[in-house]
Amino acid sequence: MKTVFSGIQPSGELHLGNYLGAVRNWVRLQDEYRCIFCVVDYHALTQDYDPKEMAKRVCDMVADLLALGIDPDRSLLFLQSMVPEHTELCWVFNNVTGHGDLERMTQFKDKSATQPENVNVGLFEYPVLQAADILLYKAQLVPVGQDQVQHIELARRIARSFNHRWGKVFPECEPMLTNLPKLLGLDGKAKMSKSLGNHIPLSAFAAEKPLWKLLRGAVTDPQRVNREDKGDPDVCNVFTMHKALSTEEDLAWVREGCTTAGIGCVDCKQRLSGRMLEHFRAYVERRAAIVADPSIVQKVLEAGAAKARALAQRTMTEVHAKLGLWRSP
Ligand code: ADP
């Protein structure tokens, strides 16, 4: 059985892009693969954050993942910083990673541009630590959004370089995309992202009002300025969300209504809002129950770290042997 690995930063707020681009896929993959999911808190250090909030952000992310259907009885779910082998393997991988390769990473360029006052080495190294995250568990498949594909390709090259220099330990990994690998934000322009503030946090699905506040302003087909203008659903980001969450009947209704101006964007968004609330109802209820009992997250993280460490240590023993390091005979 192939191994799947994917990580997510404890951003504090899982958003619809994370869900449709990655986590929804993770939930489905649990039926077919050996799945390992990691909350990557060390990756989060590359950006400014308030240390007083980090623990809560981690717990919130784990609660979200559990509530969305990640099942700790079937999948391994753990916190990156509780398994120090990740940073250990990262150091080893530094020695088979080209500086030029890292300079070419578009996410590094983008993030450097958004935080010019804090272009730290961690930000530069991010893909090397990510390669270590994946390869420590010898994962072959990495379900991510489009923005991560370049990093996964680099991880494959790192595995190849390690195997070539020191002997075969690692498999070659490949990205796995959903049918919505890049959801645009409410601005309809850039990737939905918390840092751009154009996101729909999953917390908005708890009630109609906060969701409507966000959806009401969502950019639709830019050519459809007035109610009587005919629109093109295929260039509308609201329709993209419909495609991910609504029924075939809804899609036909929107397509017909939008292209003939029979319905307005407000009607279309109201239908979407209803479908969203429906889709996330079970998540909202499960999440409330998980948050009410902090021992649930605690147990998952403790058990997850113990299992992950055992696997990670096994890989590191192989790595140490290949590197030729001294160990007690
Ligand atoms: P963010 O990009 O919001 O900081 P992460 O980097 O932790 O979040 O991403 C977690 C997962 O969600 C990754 O697999 C990433 O590719 C995916 N993802 C993030 N934003 C989107 C989006 N707008 N559309 C599709 N997938 C996304």
Side-chain angles (χ1 to χ4, degrees), residues 6-11 13-23 26 40 43 47 61 107 111 126 130 142-149 176-178 180-185 190-196 198-199:
S6 201
I8 191 153
Q9 291 197 52
S11 55
E13 259 184 336
L14 203 69
H15 61 71
L16 191 62
N18 301 136
Y19 175 68
L20 295 177
V23 181
W26 298 3
V40 289
H43 283 280
Q47 282 164 293
M61 181 56 73
Q107 197 172 82
K111 288 198 174 165
Y126 193 110
Q130 192 173 357
V142 193
V144 285
Q146 184 65 47
D147 57 342
Q148 295 297 326
V149 169
M176 254 181 143
L177 297 181
T178 58
L180 228 175
K182 184 180 172 185
L183 179 67
L184 298 183
K191 181 189 94 152
M192 182 176 283
S193 162
K194 193 186 170 200
S195 51
L196 296 174
N198 62 359
H199 63 300

Side-chain angles (χ1 to χ4, degrees), residues 166-178:
W166 285 303
K168 180 145 177 36
V169 174
F170 298 107
E172 294 196 4
C173 53
E174 53 181 300
M176 254 181 143
L177 297 181
T178 58

Side-chain angles (χ1 to χ4, degrees), residues 16 205 211 241 245 272-280:
L16 191 62
F205 300 122
L211 178 58
M241 296 185 214
L245 298 164
L272 178 62
S273 163
R275 290 300 179 211
M276 284 175 158
L277 293 170
E278 237 171 72
H279 184 88
F280 288 101

